[in-house]
Amino acid sequence: MTDSPYHLPEHLARLADEDAARFITEGLLSGKDDVPTIALNQAAEPLPESPRWRLRAIRDLIDDAMRTYRDNKPTQADAWLAPRLHSILRLTRAEAADPALWNYLALGVAPDFVVWRHLSEKKKTVNPRYFKGPYHKQAFARLWWSAELFRNGPDYEPVETACSNQDMLNTVLRLDVIDHRPTAQALVRLLKREIVRTGRDANALGKAVNAAGATLMYDVIAPDVVRDANAVQRWISEGDEGLAVHHRSLPVGPAEERALEESIECLADYFAELFADVPVRGKDEAAEEAGDD
């Protein structure tokens, strides 16, 4: 099985798409080969030295995730890792939109995690987009952006709930409406209330919410508070001071105000009504079986 890199630089780096592609081999995707660490780091572009870019804390967190969930399904690691990765890797959204950063993290820092987490038991291979792909697919970008979009101000608890359902990551994360905080929190609330239970449920609801958002302005019927950009910048600056993130307790995010409760509830009620009429494969059969008991 693919092993962790035998050499880990002190700081994070960037790896351009064209360079990353050279290291995504069939041997790596099947979990049989390691990444040639020296060659990869020669191709990478180092970032400025800063405590915020130190790799050891990130690598230790990833090792802890694999150790904690070694006897479970790897998918269960997502809910634990997403908020902690976001808290350790304190980025602006502009920085997080840089695919070269995620390429390096997947290939230069933790290719063993990508194989462990995303190796398909059926196909015996990893989809290469988990190493180099869009933000909603790439192994680490999807976790960081899930935490960014589903946190409620400093509270990461909604992130754990969202990441416990794989279709919230696979489908909902890529929708434009998810950048509206009350919408994101309302979707999480339906999960917590077990109105939405399965991946199929989340997939169907996400598509319906996104389609309805084309004609219904969610930010008008459910306004959000004006967000404090300084709060996020202060939180990022704390990362420059090299503050540690405890792995066991849930970390605390930027000291932003939470989304308005009345806006979340307004949309949660609307989405529950919307979901009642959404066709979900298997839902009718399950209802009939329940009625026969």
Side-chain angles (χ1 to χ4, degrees):
M1 187 65 74
T2 298
D3 203 354
S4 60
Y6 57 84
H7 169 69
L8 193 68
E10 186 175 353
H11 295 93
L12 194 57
R14 299 177 69 256
L15 186 66
D17 281 347
E18 59 271 21
D19 292 317
R22 295 192 289 115
F23 297 99
I24 303 175
T25 64
E26 291 299 323
L28 173 64
L29 296 177
S30 63
K32 297 176 181 178
D33 292 345
D34 296 335
V35 175
T37 303
I38 294 177
L40 183 139
N41 280 288
Q42 288 175 340
E45 174 192 348
L47 291 173
E49 294 187 5
S50 166
R52 189 159 65 102
W53 305 121
R54 284 182 180 167
L55 286 181
R56 178 45 57 191
I58 299 172
R59 182 67 225 194
D60 287 347
L61 178 69
I62 292 167
D63 284 337
D64 203 0
M66 290 193 290
R67 184 166 49 248
T68 300
Y69 292 93
R70 63 181 179 273
D71 297 326
N72 304 92
K73 289 184 177 181
T75 54
Q76 295 181 9
D78 289 351
W80 186 89
L81 184 55
R84 292 164 176 83
L85 178 66
H86 186 270
S87 185
I88 282 181
L89 192 53
R90 301 192 177 190
L91 305 171
T92 66
R93 287 193 174 190
E95 290 169 336
D98 180 9
L101 185 149
W102 303 113
N103 292 342
Y104 184 82
L105 195 55
L107 289 162
V109 180
D112 53 323
F113 172 86
V114 180
V115 172
W116 173 80
R117 169 61 185 83
H118 294 289
L119 183 69
S120 169
E121 293 183 4
K122 182 178 180 179
K123 298 180 179 180
K124 305 302 180 184
T125 189
V126 176
N127 185 327
R129 294 204 298 169
Y130 287 117
F131 282 102
K132 180 182 74 70
Y135 75 94
H136 54 79
K137 190 71 173 180
Q138 204 272 352
F140 294 107
R142 69 197 288 268
L143 297 178
W144 192 95
W145 279 104
S146 294
E148 174 66 10
L149 295 172
F150 286 111
R151 66 179 174 85
N152 192 5
D155 184 10
Y156 282 119
E157 191 273 336
V159 178
E160 291 186 310
T161 302
C163 291
S164 66
N165 185 304
Q166 285 300 302
D167 273 277
M168 291 292 280
L169 292 171
N170 296 335
T171 301
V172 176
L173 184 61
R174 70 181 70 182
L175 303 179
D176 292 339
V177 294
I178 207 65
D179 196 35
H180 180 237
R181 294 199 306 165
T183 295
Q185 295 306 311
L187 290 170
V188 170
R189 199 150 293 186
L190 265 59
L191 282 173
K192 294 178 71 173
R193 293 174 181 172
E194 297 189 346
I195 295 172
V196 172
R197 297 171 179 266
T198 67
R200 289 177 181 175
D201 289 348
N203 188 315
L205 176 62
K207 291 178 179 178
V209 166
N210 199 56
T215 56
L216 185 65
M217 303 295 289
Y218 294 145
D219 56 346
V220 174
I221 65 171
D224 195 4
V225 297
V226 176
R227 301 180 68 172
D228 182 4
N230 290 329
V232 175
Q233 190 54 55
R234 287 193 298 270
W235 177 78
I236 292 173
S237 296
E238 290 174 358
D240 288 328
E241 298 171 7
L243 298 180
V245 173
H246 299 290
H247 294 185
R248 294 297 160 236
S249 58
L250 196 64
V252 177
E256 293 183 294
E257 289 191 46
R258 298 168 187 258
L260 291 173
E261 181 64 24
E262 54 266 34
S263 292
I264 298 172
E265 279 299 308
C266 171
L267 290 181
D269 291 342
Y270 173 70
F271 293 163
E273 294 177 3
L274 192 65
F275 181 65
D277 297 324
V278 170
V280 180
R281 185 161 57 92
K283 187 168 71 170
D284 292 339
E285 291 87 340
E288 290 175 3
E289 291 175 3
D292 292 338
D293 290 341

